Amino acid sequence: MFTTLPPLSLYVHLPWCVRKCPYCDFNSHAAPENVPQRDYVDALLEDLDLDLATAAPRPLISIFFGGGTPSLFSPEEIGRFLAGVGQRMACASDMEVTLEANPGTIEHGRFRGYRDAGVTRVSLGAQTFNDQHLKALGRIHGSNDIQRAVDELRQAGLDNFNLDLMYGLPQQSREQAVADVATAIELQPAHLSHYQLTLEPGTVFYHRPPPLPDHDATWDMQLECQALLAQHGYEQYEVSAYARAGRRCRHNINYWQFGDYLGIGAGAHAKLTNAGVERTVRCRQPRDYLGRAPADRVTERRAVSGSELSFEFMLNALRLRDGFAISQFEERTGLPMAAIDSELRSAQARGLMKPVPGAWEPTELGFRFLNDLQEMFLPGA
């Protein structure tokens, strides 16, 4: 039984890119010559109207424009959408509004336009500062474009920005991976996302794998990069997320703490708590999405309950260094802690989790072998 509803966020999917990267398994599509920005924003607002009928009223704590490449959309259309949200919903006074941006799509003055539209945070897809590696990854930008984009951010007064970095790149050395992090630190982002390149099914790299560093080499990269980030004040608070004090990403934390989120746009996912927990998915293809009536855009709707509910909570919460509060598990799942007591005790016996006052958190060993720890909470495991 749910006595308290979780915080509410909004995810907005903008599905077009200049071109598809060979490692990308996100729902992204090569942009047409003229992206139908106005029609798409109109469809997003229709989508939002549909969701408001099922979402219990709560103020939005965050909005996240993901993609695709959201920076292909003009500041004017981003602003029109945000104004439409404000007319429909209550928004927290300190609401975080994040826009993902590709350094290769930023024109002079554009970040100032996004700031004026209501964007408070930018996530910049740098990936690497090595031009050879950028080319291997199929990126449209060069290392100079990253520096230029950061300069534009600062001129616009957007100092709350994230840099996305990858390691374990084709033929990358440990020294090169560490150099990427060192260069990123020099740019003084508020937040860094640092994750290993993986070969996801359905991608070009999966079907034609490039030569990647082996497991031991990537582990060495991870450890040395983590040490460098810690040395410069970036705290690892999640598997791939590092932040300076007070600059954690509130939107993503809401995911990991099993909060609620509306998801609108082509292929967007949503999670809402009412009498129970329900997940929905929108149709993936942009043309299909634009061509359907709002009620027909939802292609999947399923209730999450019982052992599946506790597993989904743990799948997310265990990504956080701080783990989860006992009260949070009970509030977000509607289940008693007894539902996972045996799994927690087993994980503790293996040295993967430890109890702390009012909470549970992964140990260093549990964080290192996170997949093994998460699997212990699978239904029937």
Side-chain angles (χ1 to χ4, degrees):
M1 180 177 179
F2 298 95
T3 57
T4 305
L5 291 177
L8 182 66
S9 295
L10 171 62
Y11 175 76
V12 185
H13 194 71
L14 306 181
W16 289 287
C17 286
V18 173
R19 78 171 170 241
K20 182 89 169 178
C21 295
Y23 60 86
C24 177
D25 70 333
F26 296 147
N27 182 36
S28 59
H29 305 264
E33 185 174 348
N34 294 302
V35 173
Q37 297 186 39
R38 186 167 189 82
D39 288 346
Y40 195 78
V41 168
D42 288 343
L44 290 173
L45 292 172
E46 290 174 349
D47 238 2
L48 187 57
D49 286 334
L50 182 70
D51 273 0
L52 293 182
T54 56
R58 284 160 283 173
L60 279 179
I61 65 166
S62 64
I63 299 175
F64 195 103
F65 293 95
T69 305
S71 52
L72 289 177
F73 277 64
S74 71
E76 292 74 20
E77 288 301 327
I78 295 295
R80 186 166 72 88
F81 174 79
L82 290 174
V85 172
Q87 292 165 3
R88 290 163 168 80
M89 303 184 69
C91 297
S93 59
D94 61 347
M95 180 174 68
E96 176 189 85
V97 181
T98 301
L99 178 94
E100 289 185 335
N102 186 317
T105 64
I106 296 303
E107 302 165 2
H108 182 68
R110 204 165 175 94
F111 280 134
R112 189 176 299 277
Y114 290 133
R115 183 207 63 191
D116 293 344
V119 171
T120 66
R121 181 177 182 272
V122 169
S123 182
L124 202 61
Q127 313 310 355
T128 173
F129 293 89
N130 183 301
D131 285 318
Q132 181 180 349
H133 292 150
L134 285 169
K135 184 176 180 181
L137 292 173
R139 303 296 291 178
I140 66 168
H141 68 273
S143 56
N144 290 338
D145 293 319
I146 304 171
Q147 176 68 65
R148 181 178 57 81
V150 170
D151 291 342
E152 289 275 344
L153 282 167
R154 297 203 185 284
Q155 291 167 17
L158 284 166
D159 67 330
N160 188 11
F161 68 93
N162 169 67
L163 289 179
D164 267 349
L165 285 182
M166 293 196 295
Y167 66 96
L169 306 180
Q171 298 181 324
Q172 185 183 43
S173 68
R174 178 182 55 81
E175 292 79 9
Q176 289 171 327
V178 174
D180 272 347
V181 170
T183 302
I185 290 170
E186 289 176 4
L187 297 177
Q188 299 184 357
H191 190 285
L192 263 164
S193 298
H194 187 244
Y195 50 97
Q196 183 180 344
L197 173 64
T198 54
L199 305 185
E200 301 291 351
T203 65
V204 172
F205 273 5
Y206 184 82
H207 295 289
R208 295 197 294 275
L212 299 181
D214 63 26
H215 177 77
D216 288 341
T218 54
W219 177 243
D220 289 342
M221 290 177 189
Q222 180 181 333
L223 290 179
E224 192 163 343
C225 289
Q226 285 176 339
L228 186 60
L229 286 164
Q231 180 184 336
H232 287 83
Y234 290 91
E235 179 193 12
Q236 184 187 23
Y237 67 98
E238 188 268 345
V239 173
S240 304
Y242 303 77
R244 288 187 161 165
R247 294 304 183 97
R248 295 181 178 189
C249 178
R250 278 181 271 161
H251 185 88
N252 286 341
I253 286 176
N254 194 40
Y255 287 155
W256 298 321
Q257 292 182 338
F258 215 54
D260 278 358
Y261 51 94
L262 304 171
I264 59 176
H269 292 235
K271 170 196 169 276
L272 284 177
T273 305
N274 289 300
V277 174
E278 182 180 72
R279 291 193 178 275
T280 58
V281 182
R282 262 47 178 197
C283 56
R284 287 177 58 85
Q285 291 294 328
R287 183 179 300 178
D288 193 22
Y289 176 82
L290 285 169
R292 294 190 183 193
D296 295 330
R297 291 176 184 145
V298 177
T299 56
E300 183 180 334
R301 188 183 300 274
R302 67 181 182 89
V304 186
S305 59
S307 58
E308 184 184 18
L309 191 57
S310 59
F311 171 67
E312 288 201 9
F313 177 93
M314 298 301 286
L315 188 67
N316 287 279
L318 292 178
R319 293 180 63 91
L320 292 168
R321 278 278 187 187
D322 297 339
F324 65 94
I326 291 170
S327 59
Q328 191 175 77
F329 174 84
E330 294 175 338
E331 288 174 0
R332 303 287 164 92
T333 65
L335 301 170
M337 279 298 292
I340 55 169
D341 184 68
S342 63
E343 290 88 348
L344 286 172
R345 299 302 172 187
S346 178
Q348 182 183 11
R350 292 174 57 182
L352 301 177
M353 292 200 73
K354 63 182 179 182
V356 294
W360 282 83
E361 62 184 40
T363 62
E364 283 296 326
L365 185 65
F367 212 63
R368 179 177 176 182
F369 295 98
L370 185 58
N371 288 344
D372 295 332
L373 175 56
Q374 289 169 327
E375 285 176 3
M376 295 181 70
F377 296 88
L378 267 170

